[in-house]
Amino acid sequence: MNADQLSVGTPATLPGQDPTPGLRIRALMLGDCINAAGLEIGTLVSSTPVAFRVHAGLAVIFRYGIVVLIGLLPSEEKALIDILKPRVVGEFSPYEEETVQAQLCNDETSETIQPGGPICIAKFSDDRLLLIADAIAKSTALTRDERRVAAVFDVIEPFARELAQRGRTPRRRKGILQLIGNVLLVQQGVAGRVAVAEKPDVLWEKPGLDRLYSRLEDEYELQERLDTLERKLKAISETGNALTDIIDTQRSLRLEVAVVVLILIEVVIGCVQILTGTH
């Protein structure tokens, strides 16, 4: 991995400070997956995640559908997205997006993240920028999953309310199974593809940057959001399973009643035939 510094910047200042070089860092979730195999859009900086030096900036591509664009002009970003589109599986419309500013601070000891403000780092080195890209990419993925889970909650809440108020379950078993399927897809994305809880590979080579990444985790509340998301997913899954179990039980009961009724009808017919034959 290359630790060269980027020599690109746009003005970014804090109140009361002198202007310092700054970088715009923009994360875009283009779809479910981006296939970066064989992609050549610049000088390769990292293979995990795949990162290229493009023009005077960086493009970091994550397999779970996110590209992080660092220090690129809007026209350069658009051109790069157009190149990536054919490699996107399950393209989203609109894209999920998150943007932050990074600026230089005095030294490593003063590396801080202002609440809702810029990320201050000692230098615009590739390893630091890859850490920021990892954190903002995970935050963007969590934002989409949080939105999807909230939408599932909006659908499943009326089912639970009807059961609580009227003691009746919805008849649309297929709809409930679809909700459970959506939950499974989100669980797969969080646990399998995005791996929010895992540390980025750059920390294995640069363990001294662990403090910076911990600050990024705290700023974007990655672990807390992951825990909340998993609790919601578990609640939805349990609710969906309970509703389907109740519906299945009711269907089995109706089937048993139908069988008993058929048996009684057959017995009655048999009795009638016997009595008719006797007379």
Side-chain angles (χ1 to χ4, degrees), residues 17-173:
Q17 291 184 339
D18 294 329
T20 56
L23 288 177
R24 186 177 77 141
I25 302 176
R26 185 184 181 205
L28 289 169
M29 192 166 195
L30 305 181
D32 291 320
C33 178
I34 299 178
N35 179 15
L39 181 64
E40 295 182 5
I41 55 175
T43 304
L44 185 66
V45 173
S46 168
S47 56
T48 310
V50 177
F52 295 95
R53 191 177 306 285
V54 181
H55 302 290
L58 281 180
V60 188
I61 302 167
F62 295 87
R63 67 185 185 279
Y64 49 86
I66 291 180
V67 57
V68 179
L69 307 169
I70 303 174
L72 297 179
L73 299 174
S75 58
E76 296 169 344
E77 292 179 348
K78 184 180 183 305
L80 183 57
I81 292 170
D82 290 339
I83 293 174
L84 292 177
K85 274 186 178 182
R87 294 174 171 268
V88 175
V89 178
E91 185 177 359
F92 298 153
S93 181
Y95 300 146
E96 195 70 50
E97 179 178 350
E98 195 161 337
T99 303
V100 300
Q101 286 283 339
Q103 70 176 32
L104 293 175
C105 58
N106 297 329
D107 52 49
E108 292 186 15
T109 59
S110 60
E111 289 184 324
T112 59
I113 303 173
Q114 303 293 330
I119 300 172
C120 299
I121 52 179
K123 53 185 176 180
F124 293 146
S125 59
D126 292 341
D127 43 27
R128 283 174 167 79
L129 294 175
L130 286 175
L131 285 183
I132 296 174
D134 183 90
I136 190 176
K138 289 175 178 176
S139 176
T140 305
L142 282 173
T143 299
R144 176 170 175 80
D145 289 337
E146 288 164 348
R147 202 165 287 164
R148 292 174 65 188
V149 169
V152 174
F153 258 111
D154 291 340
V155 176
I156 207 168
E157 184 182 2
F159 293 164
R161 185 183 299 112
E162 184 176 1
L163 179 62
Q165 294 177 349
R166 303 182 182 180
R168 293 188 301 185
T169 57
R171 299 180 181 275
R172 295 178 296 164
R173 186 177 187 274

